[in-house]
Amino acid sequence: GDSWGILTFLCAALCNLPALPALNCTEEPGAGQNIQKTYDLTRYLEHQLRTLAGTYLNYLGPPFNEPDFNPPRLAHAERVPSATVDLDLWRGLTDNARLAANYRAYSRLLCYLRALDGQTGTAELRHRLGHFCSSLQGLVLSIAGVMSSLGYPLPVGPSAPPGAPGAPNDFLKKMDDFWLLKELQTWLWRSAKDFNRLKKKVPPAVVTLRLETRGF
């Protein structure tokens, strides 16, 4: 009947349609996603360091593990990059300058931590230090990824700390270790704030539509 003829016509028409472009929605990882991951890693390292610092200070013993111990920073400890910069001055820097400062600082701090890993006497503490060093290495690489995605060049120059004689006695060596952990805590606290502000400025992802031609 007429209905069968109409159905046959429609089937023939569909079979002879030209290839149609198909929309494919893809999400490209961008600077926003890299910033979010770096922020999350920074907060994770903050949490990890709280446990590590307590364990390591107990390993150093008194007075370093006493809660009210707050010694002046010695000139010898100045080799460790300091985070004690005026907050208004720090916020006045460009995003590029802050990222570069974070990248340089964590690269150097990582070298000092790896040296601690080889000197520590207990197996448990060496394991925790090794795990923390791996996480901190991930943060350095993550910051490099953020800089690359924003179009910023990586800082030039050696990432390892310059060669310098060790502390002349055991107490000053422990003081160096104490300041290393203290500066790490401050750097991570400030970096978390940096990346939290930065992620609010950069969208988390870029969604693009691609046309794909498919034949039958």
Side-chain angles (χ1 to χ4, degrees):
D2 293 340
S3 60
W4 177 254
I6 293 172
L7 181 60
T8 303
F9 172 78
L10 289 175
C11 289
L14 288 172
C15 289
N16 287 283
L17 281 175
L20 295 176
L23 287 177
N24 183 25
C25 180
T26 61
E27 183 176 305
E28 297 178 356
Q33 286 178 307
N34 289 334
I35 293 166
Q36 180 65 54
K37 290 177 182 178
T38 308
Y39 170 75
D40 293 340
L41 181 55
T42 305
R43 296 306 305 269
Y44 170 71
L45 279 162
E46 276 191 290
H47 171 74
Q48 198 176 350
L49 183 60
R50 279 194 289 270
T51 302
L52 174 62
T55 304
Y56 195 84
L57 292 178
N58 284 333
Y59 166 75
L60 295 180
F64 301 97
N65 60 347
E66 296 172 0
D68 57 347
F69 182 63
N70 188 27
R73 183 165 179 168
L74 303 177
H76 183 75
E78 291 298 330
R79 292 184 298 134
V80 176
S82 176
T84 54
V85 178
D86 180 76
L87 284 179
D88 290 334
L89 178 62
W90 180 259
R91 290 173 183 172
L93 298 175
T94 64
D95 293 334
N96 186 8
R98 281 194 300 272
L99 286 167
N102 276 283
Y103 179 84
R104 284 192 297 264
Y106 289 122
S107 297
R108 293 191 64 189
L109 290 165
L110 179 61
C111 293
Y112 285 116
L113 277 172
R114 283 174 171 161
L116 288 188
D117 189 15
Q119 298 167 5
T120 305
T122 67
E124 179 188 358
L125 194 49
R126 284 198 303 271
H127 174 75
R128 290 192 178 190
L129 278 167
H131 181 63
F132 187 84
C133 284
S134 297
S135 299
L136 192 61
Q137 176 66 49
L139 179 61
V140 173
L141 295 174
S142 190
I143 293 173
V146 170
M147 295 186 72
S148 176
S149 62
L150 291 173
Y152 300 145
L154 288 181
V156 295
S159 58
N169 58 57
D170 186 60
F171 180 83
L172 292 179
K173 170 64 179 64
K174 290 180 178 181
M175 186 73 80
D176 285 349
D177 296 351
F178 174 85
W179 275 106
L180 173 60
L181 296 174
K182 192 175 182 67
E183 289 294 350
L184 257 172
Q185 288 176 326
T186 308
W187 272 105
L188 289 169
W189 171 80
R190 191 172 63 189
S191 295
K193 291 185 175 296
D194 288 346
F195 289 110
N196 189 45
R197 285 192 297 268
L198 192 58
K199 72 178 183 175
K200 295 176 182 177
K201 296 169 59 175
V202 181
V206 176
V207 178
T208 60
L209 295 177
R210 292 187 302 172
L211 291 178
E212 293 183 355
T213 302
R214 297 175 182 171
F216 288 92

